């Protein structure tokens, strides 16, 4: 066998070995997998069951009668969608959902828009107090919300007394409250994301004559959509799931869906048979917007949580 033939076969073997370990190949997947296939399948099955079985029970209870749920029936004897039509009058869910969408949606949009601007300044510019601000963002996230209820309530009450501005009981007052707590987290998410973006793109844009605002709007903003979506959705969830501040800062005409559910659940205590079906139906209706939002922005969420920038 000639030396050239041996060299060609060796090169072909090396290329075949390299192809087996390329990213995304089956061989590479087997090497990087931490658990054997059967064990991984069992774990995933158990996790899916833990998540899906309660959801299935809530749905089946929402189409069952209150007596059937009280008896402990998992599978309803008769299916009825009557509970979904009753919740709009008994729970007062329509007004609560409208207030939740307005307040949580405004919090998400404003928080995402402000956080990318603040994060861009903190990441790309050096100035006195920059590290103090970054550390302060982390410190603010460690403050429990329960400690801030009374100070925020007193502050807003003082605004009504001294400035003549009614804050408590209004939607925009609740919006300001949520924005205060959403901004530190959203800004830190964007700081982490912008650190992974290459500076060369900004330098090339500045060579072409782009201003700082042009770099932010034409370069940074299009590349940061995954991080913006992540920060916006987490801000939306903060306003959507909150009960503590919403129960203190709202009135019957401005209460959110979470408060409406809490009031409806508390009103069922001490009754002969609680309206289990309506409570379950109202819970599913309140959870539906969040699930839909996740399904729409799933691609951006995965990219924003796993990628630190552009490769």
């Amino acid at each position: 066998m000639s030396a050239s033939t041996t060299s060609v076969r060796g090169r072909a073997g090396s290329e075949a070995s390299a192809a087996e370990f390329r990213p995304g190949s089956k061989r590479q997947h087997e090497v990087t997998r931490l658990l054997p296939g059967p064990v991984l399948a069992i774990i995933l099955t158990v996790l899916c069951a833990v998540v899906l079985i309660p959801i299935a029970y809530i749905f089946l209870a929402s189409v069952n009668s209150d007596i059937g749920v009280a008896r402990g029936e998992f599978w309803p004897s008769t299916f009825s969608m009557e509970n979904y039509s009753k919740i709009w009058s008994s729970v007062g869910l329509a007004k609560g959902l409208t207030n939740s969408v307005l307040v949580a949606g405004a919090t998400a949009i404003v928080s995402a828009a402000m956080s990318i601007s603040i994060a861009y300044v903190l990441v790309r510019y050096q100035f006195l107090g920059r590290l103090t601000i970054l550390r302060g963002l982390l410190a603010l996230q460690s403050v429990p919300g329960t400690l801030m209820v009374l100070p925020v309530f007193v502050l807003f009450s003082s605004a009504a007394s001294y400035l003549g501005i009614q804050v408590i009981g209004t939607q925009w007052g609740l919006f300001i409250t949520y924005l205060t707590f959403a901004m530190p987290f959203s800004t830190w998410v964007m700081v982490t994301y912008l650190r992974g973006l290459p500076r060369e793109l900004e330098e090339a844009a500045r060579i072409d004559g782009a201003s700082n605002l042009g770099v932010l709007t034409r370069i940074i903003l299009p590349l940061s959509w995954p991080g913006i979506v992540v920060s916006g959705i987490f801000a939306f969830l903060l306003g959507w799931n909150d009960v503590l501040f919403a129960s203190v800062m709202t009135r019957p005409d401005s209460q959110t869906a979470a408060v409406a559910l809490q009031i409806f659940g508390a009103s069922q205590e001490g009754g002969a048979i609680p309206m289990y079906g309506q409570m379950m139906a109202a819970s599913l209706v309140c959870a539906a917007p969040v699930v839909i939002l996740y399904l729409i922005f799933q691609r951006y969420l995965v990219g924003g949580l796993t990628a630190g920038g552009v490769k």
Side-chain angles (χ1 to χ4, degrees):
M1 182 181 298
S2 63
S4 60
T5 304
T6 305
S7 176
V8 170
R9 290 183 177 179
R11 191 182 306 111
S14 300
E15 293 177 354
S17 300
E20 291 181 357
F21 290 94
R22 287 175 181 172
S25 62
K26 182 178 179 180
R27 183 68 174 176
Q28 176 70 17
H29 178 69
E30 293 176 355
V31 171
T32 56
R33 189 169 57 189
L34 299 178
L35 298 175
V39 177
L40 185 62
I42 293 174
I43 293 176
L44 291 177
T45 302
V46 172
L47 292 177
C48 291
V50 170
V51 174
L52 295 178
I53 289 178
I55 297 176
Y57 174 77
I58 293 175
F59 173 74
L60 293 175
S62 67
V63 296
N64 197 0
S65 62
D66 297 332
I67 298 178
V69 178
R71 291 174 180 171
E73 295 179 356
F74 182 81
W75 191 263
S77 55
T78 57
F79 289 84
S80 175
M81 304 299 291
E82 186 179 3
N83 292 321
Y84 287 92
S85 61
K86 290 181 178 180
I87 57 176
W88 305 105
S89 57
S90 60
V91 185
L93 204 57
K95 187 63 176 178
L97 285 175
T98 303
N99 293 329
S100 293
V101 170
L102 291 176
V103 175
T107 303
I109 295 174
V110 175
S111 176
M114 294 179 62
S115 63
I116 186 173
S117 304
I118 298 173
Y120 179 72
V121 174
L122 292 174
V123 172
R124 291 295 189 254
Y125 295 94
Q126 300 291 332
F127 54 90
L128 183 64
R130 172 178 170 272
L131 292 179
T132 304
I133 296 175
L134 290 174
R135 292 166 183 169
L137 292 176
L138 289 177
L140 288 174
Q141 297 180 43
S142 63
V143 178
T146 52
L147 296 179
M148 302 301 296
V149 174
L150 184 58
V152 170
F153 183 83
V154 172
L155 178 63
F156 287 172
S157 299
S158 301
S161 301
Y162 294 103
L163 302 178
I165 302 175
Q166 184 64 35
V167 181
I168 298 176
T170 61
Q171 294 178 346
W172 67 270
L174 192 61
F175 159 73
I176 294 176
T177 304
Y178 291 155
L179 187 64
T180 303
F181 291 96
M183 278 299 300
F185 179 80
S186 298
T187 303
W188 188 256
V189 169
M190 293 310 304
V191 165
T192 306
Y193 191 86
L194 292 182
R195 281 175 176 173
L197 296 181
R199 293 176 179 266
E200 291 78 7
L201 296 176
E202 304 173 37
E203 295 173 356
R206 287 194 172 90
I207 292 175
D208 293 337
S211 61
N212 292 332
L213 182 60
V215 171
L216 178 61
T217 56
R218 298 180 181 180
I219 304 299
I220 300 299
L221 188 62
L223 296 177
S224 303
W225 274 114
I228 294 173
V229 170
V230 169
S231 63
I233 287 182
F234 274 95
F236 182 86
L237 292 177
L238 173 67
W240 189 268
N241 297 327
D242 174 70
V243 178
L244 180 63
F245 286 93
S247 60
V248 176
M249 304 291 296
T250 59
R251 295 176 179 176
D253 59 338
S254 61
Q255 67 184 13
T256 60
V259 178
L261 281 178
Q262 182 193 36
I263 295 175
F264 180 73
S267 64
Q268 302 302 311
E269 297 178 0
I273 298 180
M275 299 179 183
Y276 293 114
Q278 295 186 38
M279 285 191 289
M280 298 299 181
S283 300
L284 287 180
V285 171
C286 290
V290 178
V291 176
I292 295 173
L293 193 67
Y294 174 79
L295 293 177
I296 294 175
F297 296 103
Q298 181 181 10
R299 179 168 60 93
Y300 294 101
L301 280 171
V302 174
L305 292 174
T306 58
V310 179
K311 300 295 183 182

